[in-house]
């Protein structure tokens, strides 16, 4: 509980005061082997998570919470380095690398986790750096919008595959109740399946272009989808 209190206070602080910095230094020193592993993981080109994709929508995602927590820990490490005057780009770059790693996964939730972790790093980045500083320029150069879009597209294909399998073969995940399974197996639902695939295909097409170019089309697609009576 005491360690959690130190982490929570440090995460919410714009700057560290000397007492909080010392408490954080002791705490990070206690877990230095874990932080070394985080940096080692961030340096890896690819990440593979223990997910059983055959479970479909019922697949467990054990990497989600630890990845978000790791992003927060690296932010605290960056805050302490900044307090000590040692710069923060290494820890911030490691956090962004974790975000890229999780986006290699083909599950949509993993893509969202990548966005969360990148957001944690970006918030600390905006708090810490002048936009023209060397650290800020190094971090900006590490961002890769193309890989972000590619990860989203990959996960949307996975969503289509899982949904079509459920429409065609029924619920094999055990997530749905008896009434939901009965409705899903109704032949009339095939029309819904076709509509779903059509709209998801359009979303995949739009996701391969920069958001600034497609915002109006995405909003129109959302309105169209929201109007459906399900």
């Amino acid at each position: 509980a005491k360690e959690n209190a130190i982490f929570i206070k440090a995460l919410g602080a714009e700057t560290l005061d000397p007492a909080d910095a010392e408490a954080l230094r002791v705490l990070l020193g206690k877990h230095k082997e874990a932080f070394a592993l985080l940096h080692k993981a961030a340096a890896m080109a690819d990440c593979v998570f223990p997910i059983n994709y055959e479970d479909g929508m019922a697949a467990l995602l054990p990497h989600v919470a630890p990845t978000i927590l790791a992003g927060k820990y690296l932010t605290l490490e960056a805050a302490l380095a900044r307090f000590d005057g040692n710069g923060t780009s290494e820890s911030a770059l490691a956090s962004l690398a974790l975000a890229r790693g999780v986006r290699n996964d083909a599950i949509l939730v993993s893509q969202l986790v990548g966005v969360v972790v990148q957001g944690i790093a970006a918030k600390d980045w905006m708090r810490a750096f002048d936009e023209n500083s060397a650290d800020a320029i190094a971090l900006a150069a590490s961002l890769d919008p193309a890989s972000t879009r590619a990860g989203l597209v990959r996960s949307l294909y996975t969503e289509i595959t899982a949904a079509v399998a459920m429409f065609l073969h029924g619920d094999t995940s055990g997530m749905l109740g008896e009434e939901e399974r009965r409705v899903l197996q109704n032949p009339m639902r095939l029309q819904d399946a076709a509509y779903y695939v059509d709209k998801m295909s359009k979303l995949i097409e739009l996701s391969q272009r920069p958001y600034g170019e497609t915002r109006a089309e995405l909003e129109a697609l959302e309105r169209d989808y929201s109007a459906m009576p399900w």
Side-chain angles (χ1 to χ4, degrees):
K2 185 177 180 180
E3 289 190 356
N4 286 339
I6 295 172
F7 278 131
I8 291 170
K9 184 177 181 182
L11 279 171
E14 289 292 328
T15 58
L16 295 175
D17 62 40
D20 290 338
E22 184 57 32
L24 187 58
R25 192 188 325 280
V26 171
L27 190 54
L28 297 187
K30 180 180 177 181
H31 298 288
K32 61 182 180 180
E33 292 182 359
F35 277 87
L37 289 174
L38 284 181
H39 283 275
K40 182 178 179 180
M44 293 181 177
D46 297 297
C47 297
V48 177
F49 300 101
I51 301 172
N52 185 0
Y53 294 99
E54 293 184 358
D55 287 342
M57 295 183 180
L60 298 178
L61 305 175
H63 63 293
V64 168
T67 301
I68 294 174
L69 193 58
K72 293 181 178 180
Y73 285 166
L74 287 169
T75 296
L76 292 176
E77 186 180 53
L80 184 59
R82 191 161 60 244
F83 178 86
D84 291 338
N86 296 327
T88 65
S89 59
E90 182 181 353
S91 297
L93 287 169
S95 186
L96 291 174
L98 285 178
R100 288 194 298 274
V102 78
R103 283 201 297 266
N104 287 335
D105 187 50
I107 300 293
L108 183 57
V109 172
S110 293
Q111 304 305 311
L112 299 177
V113 169
V115 171
V116 169
V117 173
Q118 184 168 290
I120 292 169
K123 182 178 180 181
D124 184 67
W125 175 13
M126 293 173 65
R127 175 190 298 167
F129 303 134
D130 177 271
E131 63 181 13
N132 296 316
S133 70
D135 278 334
I137 292 171
L139 285 169
S142 75
L143 299 177
D144 185 3
S147 70
T148 301
R149 290 195 294 271
L152 174 60
V153 168
R154 186 165 54 249
S155 70
L156 291 176
Y157 277 120
T158 301
E159 291 289 308
I160 290 179
T161 302
V164 169
M166 184 173 285
F167 275 115
L168 293 179
H169 306 299
D171 172 45
T172 59
S173 67
M175 293 177 63
L176 302 182
E178 181 177 347
E179 177 62 18
E180 291 170 310
R181 287 196 297 271
R182 184 187 65 79
V183 171
L184 186 63
Q185 293 164 4
N186 188 320
M188 291 296 291
R189 296 293 288 176
L190 293 178
Q191 181 177 351
D192 295 335
Y195 180 88
Y196 173 81
V197 171
D198 177 66
K199 295 305 178 186
M200 288 292 284
S201 298
K202 179 63 175 177
L203 181 58
I204 288 173
E205 177 188 339
L206 294 175
S207 297
Q208 297 180 67
R209 294 157 50 195
Y211 176 68
E213 296 179 8
T214 62
R215 179 174 177 177
E217 294 172 87
L218 287 168
E219 289 176 349
L221 185 66
E222 181 181 17
R223 289 192 299 271
D224 189 17
Y225 193 82
S226 298
M228 294 304 294
W230 48 49

